[in-house]
Amino acid sequence: MLTTDGPESGSPEVEAGVTVAERRPVATKRISIFGLGYVGAVSLACLARDGHRVTGVDIDPVKLDLIRARKSPILEEGIQELMRDVVDSGRVTVTSDAAQAVRDTEISFVCVGTPSAANGSQDLGALLRLAEQIGTALKSKREFHTIVIRSTVMPGTLESKVQPILEKYSGKRSGVDFGLAFQPEFLREGSSIRDYDHPPYTIVGGNCEAAVAAVRDVFQHLECRFLVTSIRVAEALKMSCNAFHALKITFANEIGRIAQSLDIDSHEVMRLVCADTRLNISPAYLKPGFAFGGSCLPKDLRALTQIARQGDLDVPMLSSLLASNRVHIDHAVDMILELGRPRVGMLGLSFKTGTDDLRESPLVMVAKRLIGEGCELRIFDPEVHLSRLLGANRSYIDANIPHLGSLLCADLASMIEPSEVILVGLQQPALDAGLQMRVRPDQYVIDLVNLPNRDLLRCRYQGVCW
Ligand SMILES: NC(=O)c1ccc[n+]([C@@H]2O[C@H](COP(=O)([O-])OP(=O)(O)OC[C@H]3O[C@@H](n4cnc5c(N)ncnc54)[C@H](O)[C@@H]3O)[C@@H](O)[C@H]2O)c1
């Protein structure tokens, strides 16, 4: 479920720098902000600038006094001037009284901290204590109120932790008597006002239309797409974005260290990596699916990490990629073995659709392991014909599955018919249609390729990581 409206982020208007200060929301609202740290203070100042009446709430009296004195509790480019102006406008009040803030406003944005606990999990103490206070305040409030969590939380937190507390303390029903939404915040410290005004997109997951509409009213004037999804996806998105940023930084730094050890200009290397917007900086390869393989990626990763070792360099992230890939292969094998059905059919064997290259194909690894576990295997891959396999390709399969000839089926039907489990590692329209026609409700299909028409399959379906 993902709906969208508004222009693409990166559209010419955004690039031309149309300032959001000139684009006011259609209707002004009464808004409360809980937590006046980096996210909350910037939100308070920008929302008041946009014409809303904003009540800031914090448990730290020093922050409240600073704002009353027209000063920002955080240091950010432009925030001191903006805070002074919005406090002078009379549209900002601050308080430590959470109940009063809920009563006086229509929508609450929650921006309290969610720091690491000692064991690495998220410390949700501040958020959950606040949920109790907001829930108690909602009990005596007659008007509909929307609570929007902007703190970064683990997927599932709103539905399994925040919502039950709000319902318990208010005695009201989520999605009926009050709205609950998650709207990830994408601002970066140091450029937070600019980022607030030019997010990559506004994305919200809500428990009802009214909650989403309340967020849309406040943010739809921003020059970016307004995307609506489920609460859990919105929570997972924010976590994924931060993990992806960390991954990118670590990748560039590990490549940098290797390049430095070889006396190569690391900035030039990464500048050119980023100049490829078709395969590198693009959605290519960024879809959940099956393990990588083939004649290039595994061997070149091995060589790269070997060069690093020769230079006494530690590159833990690059060194972990093959291990992580093996875990993904094991995961697929485990899914099959857990079904306890030994007659397994495989659609596909080569390392990707449209080739007969079997070298380091993860599907060959799967086949090898299933044979070792005693499965009765049948394989159909329209591109793979034993008599045509030559050179390194032939040697690879002879070393790994020497009796491949006895496992290969001549067509889809003879692979599917006797199998209890069918592993789909190949996607082509004609094969998809064949699968739809032939699979039976008593058979399991394990999908490695995200089959586009899987809803049409009459079988027991499982995706490898979806
Ligand atoms: N800092 C960033 O750049 C950034 C960007 C995106 C998202 N986030 C996320 O936003 C959340 C807030 O981050 P931050 O950096 O603004 O945190 P912060 O620590 O700077 O501010 C949190 C504020 O919440 C206040 N607070 C705690 N309990 C409260 C309560 N019961 N009622 C009212 N106020 C209370 C604290 O006193 C503090 O002022 C975190 O979940 C963070 O992961 C941060």
Side-chain angles (χ1 to χ4, degrees), residues 33-41 57-60 63 74 98 110-115 122 125-127 129-130 133 150-153 184-189 192 238 242:
I33 312 262
F34 289 84
L36 299 172
Y38 284 88
V39 171
V57 187
D58 206 292
I59 51 170
D60 183 346
K63 292 191 177 177
I74 56 146
V110 174
C111 314
V112 297
T114 49
Q122 259 189 341
L127 179 63
R129 276 192 299 279
L130 185 56
Q133 289 179 295
R150 306 222 63 192
S151 304
T152 302
V153 293
E185 173 56 69
F186 296 109
L187 63 78
R188 294 164 298 176
E189 289 175 28
S192 55
K238 176 65 191 174
N242 279 353

Side-chain angles (χ1 to χ4, degrees), residues 134-175:
I134 294 178
T136 307
L138 286 178
K139 196 181 178 95
S140 54
K141 185 169 177 181
R142 288 171 64 190
E143 301 84 43
F144 188 87
H145 192 89
T146 297
I147 302 121
V148 184
I149 309 297
R150 306 222 63 192
S151 304
T152 302
V153 293
M154 287 300 290
T157 301
L158 262 63
E159 285 169 0
S160 69
K161 298 203 162 98
V162 176
Q163 179 172 287
I165 293 176
L166 289 170
E167 287 190 321
K168 179 180 164 193
Y169 282 80
S170 67
K172 295 185 171 181
R173 288 161 304 166
S174 168

Side-chain angles (χ1 to χ4, degrees), residues 129-398:
R129 276 192 299 279
L130 185 56
E132 290 178 13
Q133 289 179 295
I134 294 178
T136 307
L138 286 178
K139 196 181 178 95
S140 54
K141 185 169 177 181
R142 288 171 64 190
E143 301 84 43
F144 188 87
H145 192 89
T146 297
I147 302 121
V148 184
I149 309 297
R150 306 222 63 192
S151 304
T152 302
V153 293
M154 287 300 290
T157 301
L158 262 63
E159 285 169 0
S160 69
K161 298 203 162 98
V162 176
Q163 179 172 287
I165 293 176
L166 289 170
E167 287 190 321
K168 179 180 164 193
Y169 282 80
S170 67
K172 295 185 171 181
R173 288 161 304 166
S174 168
V176 179
D177 305 317
F178 65 88
L180 178 63
F182 182 74
Q183 184 200 2
E185 173 56 69
F186 296 109
L187 63 78
R188 294 164 298 176
E189 289 175 28
S191 55
S192 55
I193 295 179
R194 246 174 302 138
D195 288 348
Y196 178 94
D197 288 339
H198 297 291
Y201 41 52
T202 300
I203 189 147
V204 59
N207 66 349
C208 59
E209 251 313 306
V212 172
V215 177
R216 186 182 271 115
D217 283 350
V218 177
F219 291 99
Q220 69 180 353
H221 65 293
L222 295 177
E223 281 292 323
C224 65
R225 284 170 295 168
F226 188 94
L227 304 173
V228 180
T229 186
S230 68
I231 290 177
R232 292 169 78 87
V233 166
E235 291 168 321
L237 165 81
K238 176 65 191 174
M239 284 291 177
S240 307
C241 289
N242 279 353
F244 192 43
H245 300 160
L247 175 99
K248 290 202 293 186
I249 291 167
T250 307
F251 176 81
N253 288 341
E254 290 195 359
I255 292 290
R257 293 204 294 279
I258 295 174
Q260 180 188 41
S261 74
L262 300 172
D263 202 19
I264 293 169
D265 181 345
S266 57
H267 286 114
E268 179 74 346
V269 173
M270 282 311 299
R271 195 181 61 72
L272 291 170
V273 166
C274 296
D276 173 356
T277 53
R278 277 182 58 201
L279 297 182
N280 292 347
I281 309 303
S282 79
Y285 306 116
L286 278 173
K287 297 177 187 84
F290 198 41
F292 63 80
S295 59
C296 295
L297 267 50
K299 109 178 144 56
D300 294 345
L301 259 174
R302 257 181 238 118
L304 189 66
T305 48
Q306 166 63 14
I307 284 186
R309 277 199 301 278
Q310 272 173 15
D312 288 331
L313 289 177
D314 206 5
V315 283
M317 194 190 93
L318 290 170
S319 303
S320 70
L321 297 182
L322 285 168
S324 176
N325 207 42
R326 276 194 298 279
V327 168
H328 205 52
I329 294 171
D330 289 346
H331 171 67
V333 171
D334 291 346
M335 284 178 78
I336 296 167
L337 296 178
E338 275 162 21
L339 297 175
R341 305 270 151 78
R343 291 204 302 279
V344 179
M346 287 182 60
L347 175 53
L349 187 65
S350 67
F351 89 94
K352 66 176 177 187
T353 301
T355 174
D356 70 347
D357 197 347
L358 300 173
R359 286 172 297 169
E360 302 218 35
S361 165
L363 290 170
V364 172
M365 296 295 114
V366 170
K368 197 174 161 182
R369 274 211 54 204
L370 291 176
I371 294 164
E373 297 285 347
C375 292
E376 191 186 305
L377 207 58
R378 287 177 180 77
I379 301 170
F380 174 62
D381 187 322
E383 309 294 340
V384 175
H385 304 278
L386 205 53
S387 58
R388 289 192 220 142
L389 296 179
L390 299 169
N393 202 10
R394 178 71 190 224
S395 314
Y396 184 78
I397 207 67
D398 284 347

Side-chain angles (χ1 to χ4, degrees), residues 99-125:
Q100 185 67 43
V102 171
R103 276 197 295 278
D104 288 350
T105 59
E106 312 152 63
I107 179 168
S108 297
F109 290 99
V110 174
C111 314
V112 297
T114 49
S116 287
N119 67 358
S121 66
Q122 259 189 341
D123 180 351
L124 294 174

